[in-house]
Amino acid sequence: MVWTAGNVSARVPGADLLVIKPSGVRYHELTPDKMAVCDLDGNLVDGDVTPSSDTISHAYVYRHLPEVGGIVHTHSSYATAWACRREPIPPVISMVADEFGGEIPVGPLARVGDDSIGRGIVETLTGSRSKAVLMANHGVFTIGKDALNAVKAAAMCEEVAKTVHLAKALGDPVLLPQDYIDFMNDRYQNIYGQ
Ligand SMILES: [Zn+2]
């Protein structure tokens, strides 16, 4: 992220609370006491900071998607370039199948400050295996079982956005067949790793 853009939050296990990056603070300046603790309506309940301007949208996602434990937002360059064209990233590389289980979809054009972005995330990702949404003309929002998994999805989203961009620049990438996507997604999500 450039300067103070983007944000990350985590659900507090066992409580109707979230912890989120403060607004307008550079990442290398973040310390635990500078993080904002908010309720699931986005109200600050602990901390001496102004929470991220996307807090109400993060809270909306936590209220509506109980399996989500972490949310990340970036304006990473390649993924945001797809968002500017309002073009989903197609499943043409095994890494898209592994991490996202299909195309990375595009969400609506939404204003910052209220729950518009949150509603767009929930509407777009409900019924999708993707953990990332390209919010139109804005950037990437990712979800995960915890904050680290949401960071991982954001990193993977940028990587596949870059690779598929390069593939398209050279010609027409070939779409993966659905049975291959399903096999690879199941293997990566349930078998891969320690
Ligand atoms: Zn943003």
Side-chain angles (χ1 to χ4, degrees):
M1 294 307 304
V2 173
W3 203 240
T4 64
N7 43 64
V8 55
S9 73
R11 189 193 292 274
V12 178
D16 288 333
L17 297 170
L18 63 92
V19 181
I20 192 163
K21 178 186 176 290
S23 181
V25 176
R26 286 183 286 168
Y27 286 85
H28 73 272
E29 294 174 337
L30 290 178
T31 55
D33 62 300
K34 284 184 184 153
M35 300 299 284
V37 181
C38 298
D39 65 23
L40 293 191
D41 291 313
N43 303 304
L44 184 71
V45 298
D46 189 23
D48 186 22
V49 292
T50 301
S52 164
S53 43
D54 289 325
T55 300
I56 291 172
S57 280
H58 285 236
Y60 183 95
V61 174
Y62 289 122
R63 287 203 309 280
H64 289 83
L65 300 177
E67 71 279 14
V68 172
I71 301 170
V72 163
H73 170 47
T74 81
H75 302 157
S76 64
S77 305
Y78 284 89
T80 302
W82 289 83
C84 293
R85 297 194 306 268
R86 303 191 186 184
E87 183 178 355
I89 300 174
V92 294
I93 178 173
S94 62
M95 199 170 161
V96 181
D98 290 345
E99 180 71 14
F100 302 101
E103 73 170 24
I104 300 176
V106 175
L109 180 66
R111 296 186 181 195
V112 172
D114 61 12
D115 64 5
S116 301
I117 289 173
R119 284 188 281 115
I121 296 168
V122 171
E123 282 166 17
T124 308
L125 294 186
T126 298
S128 168
R129 284 192 293 211
S130 178
K131 299 167 186 162
V133 51
L134 309 173
M135 291 299 285
N137 307 87
H138 183 168
V140 180
F141 281 81
T142 61
I143 56 176
K145 67 180 183 192
D146 53 30
L148 185 61
N149 270 268
V151 171
K152 176 188 169 214
M156 297 283 190
C157 180
E158 178 63 5
E159 185 70 10
V160 300
K162 182 178 179 179
T163 305
V164 180
H165 165 79
L166 293 171
K168 278 188 58 150
L170 295 167
D172 294 320
V174 178
L175 279 176
L176 290 170
Q178 190 62 48
D179 65 328
Y180 180 88
I181 294 171
D182 293 344
F183 171 82
M184 293 295 277
N185 185 252
D186 178 62
R187 188 203 65 87
Y188 185 74
Q189 298 295 330
N190 300 313
I191 299 168
Y192 173 80
Q194 297 303 309

